[in-house]
Amino acid sequence: MSDKVSRKEKFLSVFPELVSELTEVLNGYGMTKEAVEWFTNNLNYNTPGGKLNRGISVIDTYVILKGYKSVDDLAVEEYKKLAILGWSIELLQAYFLVADDMMDQSITRRGQPCWYKVPNVGEIAINDSFMLEAAIYILLKKYFKQETYYVDLLELFHEVTFQTELGQLLDLITAPEDHVDLSKFSLAKHSFIVIFKTAYYSFYLPVALAMFAAGINDEKDLKQAHDVLIPLGEYFQIQDDYLDCFGKPEDIGKIGTDIQDNKCSWVVNTALKLVTPEQRALLDENYGIKDSEKEAKVKALFNDLGIDKIYHEYEEKIATELKEKIANTDESRGFKGEVLTVFLQKIYKRSK
């Protein structure tokens, strides 16, 4: 069994406990058996799927910050509290995804029907998404109210949630699937969307939570983490956009759909900066349409423009800049550059 698998299994083992604690709250309010079962199904269906990287990153980061050799060095209660912070991010992710799938009218998520597509769920999924978010604050109150950093946790979750929703708003009004208007696209808008929609909750949030738990709360340290993790999160999404178009389906585990879905991706925004008027007309005619022949024309144009080469130049440039920032980390107050190196190593030159 690999270390990665055992870490994931250990993290997953905490979840059923949290589900029963959350459903006890409903029982305490006198909710009906049917309602308790519904909430239990909502939690189990939407939260523990996926790679769980965000949640597990809280624990991994804390281990580095405290100077432990491995997760096994954590006391049982210490591990549980960190796992609760990790599961709080996964609940946040579940809340976003349940709502996002309705907004995008998606069909499947993590290899199963989207929650709102499950028989008898439908628009009840809107309320279910609210309940997933509210569950975060029930757990934080139960386990962290006595901690000096309790308010820091609350403020961080509220702020990052709002930032993510700002990114989603700009994405929705810039690139609706049913109305293609490439004049609304730009690399600046793409940057804002991915930083706010992805980087804050996927990269900065897990590290900041671990920092608070480890007693590292100096604004300068939080800024050091922020100033590497936000561009790293942007790089991660640009990489995702690149792989959607240029990656091999057998590597990335799916067939890319960004072109047909009218996504405001890094690839099309880079192309828009380079096109001739004729090439722009070709893009306008073929981008964002559910048609494989039109998609093939767009892909051919991206190849002609040398987007592949531009991406690899960007990748080397951003990796060099981030390594330099990490090398200059001030560790005098307990923060460790190693935390940031681990995140960069997971992402650099990935192919899936």
Side-chain angles (χ1 to χ4, degrees), residues 187-205:
L187 278 169
K189 264 189 193 172
H190 176 268
S191 181
F192 185 97
I193 289 167
V194 303
I195 285 171
F196 279 74
K197 189 177 167 179
T198 302
Y200 275 107
Y201 93 95
S202 299
F203 289 84
Y204 178 65
L205 179 58

Side-chain angles (χ1 to χ4, degrees), residues 24-295:
E24 271 311 300
V25 175
L26 270 65
N27 287 324
Y29 286 132
M31 286 291 275
T32 64
K33 184 168 177 282
E34 183 191 12
V36 174
E37 282 176 4
W38 186 283
F39 184 44
T40 304
N41 288 339
N42 174 19
L43 288 165
N44 285 322
Y45 193 92
N46 294 304
T47 316
K51 296 174 189 150
L52 307 177
N53 287 338
R54 295 169 183 84
I56 295 168
S57 291
V58 178
I59 302 160
D60 290 348
T61 300
Y62 181 89
V63 165
I64 293 169
L65 291 173
K66 296 295 274 187
Y68 294 141
K69 287 192 179 72
S70 79
V71 174
D72 298 331
D73 293 345
L74 296 170
V76 174
E77 277 310 302
E78 191 179 18
Y79 180 85
K80 186 174 178 188
K81 287 185 83 162
L82 292 164
I84 285 157
L85 291 177
W87 279 114
S88 295
I89 303 183
E90 296 299 334
L91 283 163
L92 185 68
Q93 160 92 328
Y95 154 59
F96 290 145
L97 296 184
V98 169
D100 196 40
D101 287 340
M102 293 189 79
M103 289 179 241
D104 293 346
Q105 296 176 334
S106 299
I107 308 299
T108 59
R109 166 74 65 183
R110 295 169 171 168
Q112 59 185 9
C114 297
W115 179 241
Y116 81 100
K117 284 285 186 186
V118 170
N120 303 319
V121 175
E123 293 192 354
I124 299 171
I126 297 170
N127 194 62
D128 289 335
S129 74
F130 299 160
M131 290 185 72
L132 291 167
E133 186 197 20
I136 296 166
Y137 299 100
I138 291 168
L139 292 173
L140 293 181
K141 183 178 179 183
K142 178 173 181 180
Y143 285 95
F144 296 94
K145 195 166 191 236
Q146 307 310 317
E147 303 289 354
T148 53
Y149 55 89
Y150 177 55
V151 173
D152 291 324
L153 298 181
L154 296 179
E155 288 186 347
L156 182 62
F157 267 102
H158 284 311
E159 184 176 20
V160 169
T161 301
F162 189 55
Q163 287 165 325
T164 309
E165 289 158 355
L166 291 177
Q168 173 74 341
L169 173 63
L170 191 58
D171 194 13
L172 290 167
I173 62 177
T174 301
E177 271 196 57
D178 57 351
H179 181 69
V180 183
D181 181 0
L182 296 181
S183 66
K184 284 186 168 184
F185 287 16
S186 70
L187 278 169
K189 264 189 193 172
H190 176 268
S191 181
F192 185 97
I193 289 167
V194 303
I195 285 171
F196 279 74
K197 189 177 167 179
T198 302
Y200 275 107
Y201 93 95
S202 299
F203 289 84
Y204 178 65
L205 179 58
V207 172
L209 289 173
M211 288 170 72
F212 286 135
I216 300 165
N217 57 8
D218 191 291
E219 282 299 324
K220 289 176 185 167
D221 286 321
L222 290 162
K223 187 175 186 315
Q224 286 195 110
H226 173 283
D227 290 353
V228 170
L229 292 163
I230 296 305
L232 187 67
E234 183 179 16
Y235 163 38
F236 173 82
Q237 188 57 53
I238 288 172
Q239 197 174 44
D240 232 37
D241 292 354
Y242 167 81
L243 290 171
D244 185 275
C245 186
F246 292 94
K248 295 174 183 168
E250 60 268 26
D251 287 342
I252 61 175
K254 62 177 183 178
I255 293 165
T257 59
D258 284 1
I259 294 170
Q260 292 196 25
D261 291 348
N262 188 37
K263 285 289 194 291
C264 179
S265 84
W266 176 86
V267 178
V268 71
N269 279 297
T270 302
L272 286 166
K273 283 184 70 179
L274 303 169
V275 288
T276 63
E278 292 79 13
Q279 289 171 325
R280 173 60 193 263
L282 186 146
L283 260 186
D284 284 330
E285 285 163 27
N286 296 284
Y287 195 80
I289 299 164
K290 308 275 192 228
D291 180 315
S292 55
E293 285 182 19
K294 289 181 183 290
E295 180 188 44

